[in-house]
Amino acid sequence: MTSTVQLEIPASGAYLAVARVAATGLAAQLQFTYEEIDDLRIAVDEACTQLLARRGSATTLNVAYHLDDAELRVDVSIEAPDRGDPLARDTFAWQILAAMTDEVREQSEAGRLWLSFRKAGGRG
Amino acid sequence: MAQLPQGGRTRVTEVPNDGRVHRGPEGADGGVAPLNGRSVDRGHAKDLFRRFVETRNPALREELVGLHLPLVEYLARRFRNRGEPLEDLVQVGTIGLLKAIDRFDLEREVEFSTYATPTIVGELKRHFRDKGWAVRVPRRLQELNLSLNKVVAELSQEIGRSPTIAEIATKARLPEEEVLEGLDTSNAYAVVSLDAPAGGEDAPAVSEHIGAEDESLEALEYRAALGPLIAGLPERERWILYLRFFGGMTQSQIAGRLGISQMHVSRLLNRTLAVLREGLLEDEETG
């Protein structure tokens, strides 16, 4: 069964720590190792930062954490009606996300930009 | 300091200043632009650099510092609302400028101001981070952090992999909450001075440990549109970035290869990413 935790924070770098701390606590529940948690924190930081950099006039950033057995899926999204450019795959940011997680996806849909990733824990 | 091999870097010239990832003073709010206003003669600067690279003459170095002081002042002003006198910040920024002058490579064909900005900003940030630790982190958290470092290192040895939070808590005889708090402190303040191995940035060149993977490193600089930022990083930080994000190595593997602890790799990685991200958000917030 999947449990979901939703977070809505102001679209400002000052609140990134909240998204990171939430991820840390949830990953600990899923028995992620110290290193896996660190990777996760980097990925959360990166995804949020990338969307914040495209925030335009958006005022909030949404982060949803889906907990599933030993896996955490994170969806970060922001309203961006006037800045539809998703994260390109040939950027360093994409490379960071891909290296830190098991799967990354970007999406531009219904006036929102999304960055989603999946990370399994417990492999040590 | 030993240099990485630098064959064929011409691609890098196309990278800087897309106006978002990193914006030099020229692109910032028009009124301030010190380099336009006071007009550093770029030809003159280049000529000075050429002579300085050849002769390493301290007088030339000083002249270069004077020439680029407006850049330092401009960057220092961005930090002035944090309760430090501007003159002190200019002093700190000048240390960054000196490092950048000593490392600048004319072959790179990037403007010096583009190259120097991340180094100067990095120095200013470090100043606040170091102070931040001394002033704001309670003693209890500093000690917690140190003891967790030790426990994580011991456990990793014992069980042959990175430990979970629950395992760390059991071993440290602490509630999990407190372990999590300690880990947050560890990266939020990202200070290396407490347990960094002797040597710091002047430790033996990392390339001696690693061998030449420079082509991929170059690809990283190119792909990133962060070329100048990455080029401005200390060598060890650059290698850690590369090994983790392109080399597919885990933090523990990198730690083993560089002869430092995994948590130290973690801190360096987090600190480096923080520096790289600065341009991204700060410019938006001030611009």
Side-chain angles (χ1 to χ4, degrees), chain B residues 3 49 52 56 61 97-104:
Chain B
Q3 294 287 319
F49 264 119
F52 175 64
R56 295 276 143 189
R61 193 171 183 242
L97 175 63
L98 283 166
K99 285 185 184 169
I101 288 174
D102 288 343
R103 288 179 196 158
F104 187 56

Side-chain angles (χ1 to χ4, degrees), chain A residues 81-96:
Chain A
D82 47 348
R83 294 216 195 167
D85 52 332
L87 183 61
R89 285 165 193 250
D90 59 355
T91 55
F92 185 48
W94 185 275
Q95 185 69 34
I96 290 178

Side-chain angles (χ1 to χ4, degrees), chain B residues 3-205:
Chain B
Q3 294 287 319
L4 290 171
Q6 296 185 339
R9 271 191 196 275
T10 43
R11 285 174 299 167
V12 176
T13 52
E14 299 164 23
V15 172
N17 283 338
D18 67 356
R20 192 179 59 208
V21 173
H22 163 67
R23 191 162 57 181
E26 298 93 331
D29 35 22
V32 220
L35 295 190
N36 284 348
R38 270 183 246 178
S39 157
V40 169
D41 179 340
R42 297 218 158 112
H44 178 53
K46 244 191 182 129
D47 182 51
L48 276 178
F49 264 119
R50 210 168 292 124
R51 279 156 55 206
F52 175 64
V53 168
E54 275 170 27
T55 61
R56 295 276 143 189
N57 180 343
L60 290 171
R61 193 171 183 242
E62 207 160 299
E63 201 173 333
L64 282 167
V65 171
L67 204 56
H68 294 96
L69 214 50
L71 174 65
V72 174
E73 285 164 357
Y74 168 81
L75 294 170
R77 242 176 272 129
R78 291 170 56 176
F79 293 82
R80 72 180 162 228
N81 294 327
R82 302 190 183 187
E84 293 270 311
L86 186 61
E87 306 88 84
D88 290 5
L89 297 181
V90 171
Q91 290 264 323
V92 171
T94 306
I95 297 172
L97 175 63
L98 283 166
K99 285 185 184 169
I101 288 174
D102 288 343
R103 288 179 196 158
F104 187 56
D105 179 357
L106 284 168
E107 303 291 304
R108 281 184 187 279
E109 295 184 23
V110 295
E111 287 298 338
F112 176 73
S113 60
T114 308
Y115 174 82
T117 298
T119 314
I120 296 168
V121 170
E123 204 64 46
L124 287 160
K125 280 278 172 174
R126 177 155 39 204
H127 173 71
F128 282 104
R129 259 191 301 263
D130 290 355
K131 265 202 132 79
W133 179 283
V135 175
R136 281 195 300 275
V137 179
R139 188 83 226 159
R140 178 182 73 82
L141 283 181
Q142 292 189 38
E143 279 162 8
L144 174 63
N145 196 250
L146 285 179
S147 74
L148 285 181
N149 276 359
K150 210 168 138 245
V151 169
V152 170
E154 284 170 9
L155 269 178
S156 305
Q157 277 275 313
E158 274 173 36
I159 56 186
R161 62 164 167 77
S162 177
T164 66
I165 301 300
E167 287 164 344
I168 299 170
T170 308
K171 171 106 177 174
R173 296 199 193 129
L174 288 170
E176 287 189 24
E177 296 263 306
E178 210 163 316
V179 174
L180 291 175
E181 194 184 8
L183 296 187
D184 271 331
T185 315
S186 145
N187 285 325
Y189 297 89
V191 162
V192 292
S193 58
L194 287 178
D195 63 346
E201 283 179 24
D202 300 321

Side-chain angles (χ1 to χ4, degrees), chain A residues 34-35 38-39 41 46 95, chain B residues 163 184 244 251-252 277:
Chain A
Y34 175 81
E35 273 196 64
D38 209 52
D39 290 348
R41 292 161 62 97
E46 192 61 35
Q95 185 69 34
Chain B
D184 271 331
R244 186 67 193 95
Q251 290 184 7
S252 300
R277 284 180 191 130

Side-chain angles (χ1 to χ4, degrees), chain A residues 16-35:
Chain A
L16 279 189
V18 181
R20 206 165 46 221
V21 168
T24 306
L26 296 171
Q29 273 193 26
L30 295 176
Q31 302 298 312
F32 275 41
T33 67
Y34 175 81
E35 273 196 64

Side-chain angles (χ1 to χ4, degrees), chain A residues 3-99:
Chain A
S3 310
T4 297
V5 174
Q6 303 260 14
L7 200 63
E8 184 172 291
I9 54 177
S12 152
Y15 293 86
L16 279 189
V18 181
R20 206 165 46 221
V21 168
T24 306
L26 296 171
Q29 273 193 26
L30 295 176
Q31 302 298 312
F32 275 41
T33 67
Y34 175 81
E35 273 196 64
E36 288 161 348
I37 290 177
D38 209 52
D39 290 348
L40 178 72
R41 292 161 62 97
I42 289 174
V44 168
D45 255 356
E46 192 61 35
C48 291
T49 305
Q50 288 304 323
L51 290 190
L52 284 180
R54 292 164 173 72
R55 70 188 157 216
S57 55
T59 53
T60 56
L61 182 75
N62 291 75
V63 190
Y65 307 86
H66 308 283
L67 291 79
D68 223 341
D69 292 332
E71 182 178 283
L72 189 62
R73 280 180 298 123
V74 181
D75 297 325
V76 188
S77 72
I78 196 162
E79 198 176 316
D82 47 348
R83 294 216 195 167
D85 52 332
L87 183 61
R89 285 165 193 250
D90 59 355
T91 55
F92 185 48
W94 185 275
Q95 185 69 34
I96 290 178
L97 286 169

